Structures are given as structure tokens and as C-alpha cells.
Amino acid sequence: MNRAKEALRVCEDICRFFYDQPSWTRQWKDIRHRLTAVLVPLDCGKALEARDIGKDVGKRTTFSESRRFSAGDVFRANAQRAKESLRVLEECAKLSDQGAAESLKKLRYRLYALEQKVLKGTHGRDED
């Protein structure tokens, strides 16, 4: 959940501060807020309590994660991270709440479309 929301926020802020696109910014923000609304009933505060940063086997940064050359690189990496995270959340929600799983699937497809719109709209920009 944290991974998805953080990635969505990065994409939102890239659209806001680098691309200066209010519409894209609102759409990323809306997906982030809708994700929160879907997950709140499922989580009940468990994610924060369960997080153990000291023992997290996946916290190490890979070489590819440490290299970004432009705002476009940052955007693409975080859009991918958000899509992957939404898919994980969707699959896990299938274990307990089919309605939440379906909502997460719809958010994931909205994300695919928005990512494509942003990438088409920024093609050829100097910062990319």
C-alpha cells in the first residue's frame, strides 16, 4: 500500500512541478485518493503495525533504482512501481474482498491509460 501511494505521489508531483499539467496532476491525485478509500476498510491500521524496516528483505536499492537521468526517467520508474503495486494489492484483495479487488483492477486500468497519456504528451520534451 505504501509503495503504491508513494509511487503515485511521485508521478503526481512530476506532472505538477516538471510538466506543469493541472489535469494530469488531478488525475494522479484522484487515483491516489481512490486507492486510499478502497484500502482503508481492508487495512484497519495493520500495515503500519506490520512494517518492520529492520528486517525487510526487499529494502536494498538495486543499481537500476539508483540511476535516473531526467524527470521522465523518474516518472516512468514510478508509474511502473505503481502498476506493479496495484496488481499485488488486487491479487491479495481477492483473498478477502472481491469488491475491493475489482476496484483495484479498475484503478490499475485507469493508471495504464493515464501513464500512456502523460508519456505521449511529454514525448520529445527537453527534460526527458
Side-chain angles (χ1 to χ4, degrees):
M1 177 176 66
N2 289 334
R3 181 177 167 89
K5 289 176 66 174
E6 289 167 355
L8 291 167
R9 183 57 182 251
V10 170
C11 291
E12 176 186 333
D13 283 352
I14 294 282
C15 289
R16 179 180 176 191
F17 296 114
F18 284 88
Y19 300 146
D20 193 29
Q21 291 289 329
S23 174
W24 296 346
T25 302
R26 276 191 306 278
Q27 291 174 69
W28 285 100
K29 185 176 185 176
D30 182 60
I31 291 172
R32 185 170 51 85
H33 283 240
R34 288 181 187 272
L35 173 62
T36 300
V38 170
L39 295 177
V40 166
L42 296 176
D43 180 53
C44 303
K46 291 180 267 185
L48 186 58
E49 292 173 13
R51 187 171 221 175
D52 186 350
I53 299 167
K55 293 181 182 177
D56 183 351
V57 298
K59 71 179 179 182
R60 190 170 177 184
T61 301
T62 65
F63 179 73
S64 65
E65 289 175 321
S66 65
R67 297 186 55 143
R68 305 286 188 259
F69 299 102
S70 67
D73 285 350
V74 173
F75 176 85
R76 284 184 287 279
N78 280 278
Q80 185 63 33
R81 182 173 290 123
K83 291 183 296 188
E84 292 168 354
S85 297
L86 283 176
R87 183 57 182 230
V88 170
L89 291 167
E90 175 191 337
E91 293 296 327
C92 291
K94 290 175 183 177
L95 298 172
S96 62
D97 188 329
Q98 289 297 320
E102 186 60 31
S103 294
L104 290 163
K105 180 180 180 178
K106 288 177 183 176
L107 283 176
R108 186 167 50 84
Y109 279 97
R110 277 187 60 196
L111 179 59
Y112 292 156
L114 181 55
E115 175 194 31
Q116 190 174 46
K117 182 189 304 185
V118 172
L119 292 175
K120 283 182 181 178
T122 62
H123 184 69
R125 287 201 178 192
D126 292 339
E127 71 267 14
D128 287 338

